[in-house]
Amino acid sequence: MGDENVTVIFEDSEYQIWVGTDYGLYQFEAGHLYLVNNSVSQGGVRDLYEDRMGQLWIANHFGLQYSQTLSPLALQSVPLLGGRATHSVLWVTIMACGSVRPVV
């Protein structure tokens, strides 16, 4: 983590610490930051959210990613229509639980 700006720090339900930057997503473990694979190509992390099913959602500049499990984290991309997320608030509906939450 050189000249990156931290955009969000998040603790999930399994007490893991995630650090989002304008470069990508890191997992904080045993005093070290580990870059999460597949997080860099999405243009940096804007926000993190864990839903009631324990899925981690990552809002970034070029789309939306999620992982159905926290350990191991396996990111899957959900592209946004129109490309880059430019609005100050991005509303995401999580169909399984029917909730709506401002992610960015």
Side-chain angles (χ1 to χ4, degrees), residues 20-78:
T21 72
D22 55 5
Y23 180 72
L25 179 65
Y26 293 84
Q27 182 177 15
F28 182 76
E29 185 177 323
H32 299 281
L33 288 172
Y34 298 96
L35 183 63
V36 174
N37 290 334
N38 300 329
S39 69
V40 175
S41 64
Q42 298 298 314
V45 176
R46 295 184 64 143
D47 204 0
L48 299 169
Y49 174 71
E50 182 182 0
D51 65 22
R52 287 187 251 169
M53 297 182 300
Q55 299 177 124
L56 185 65
W57 292 84
I58 300 100
N60 49 51
H61 292 287
F62 299 121
L64 183 65
Q65 295 175 296
Y66 74 100
S67 178
Q68 292 181 337
T69 59
L70 296 172
S71 184
L73 196 69
L75 294 181
Q76 300 177 47
S77 292
V78 178

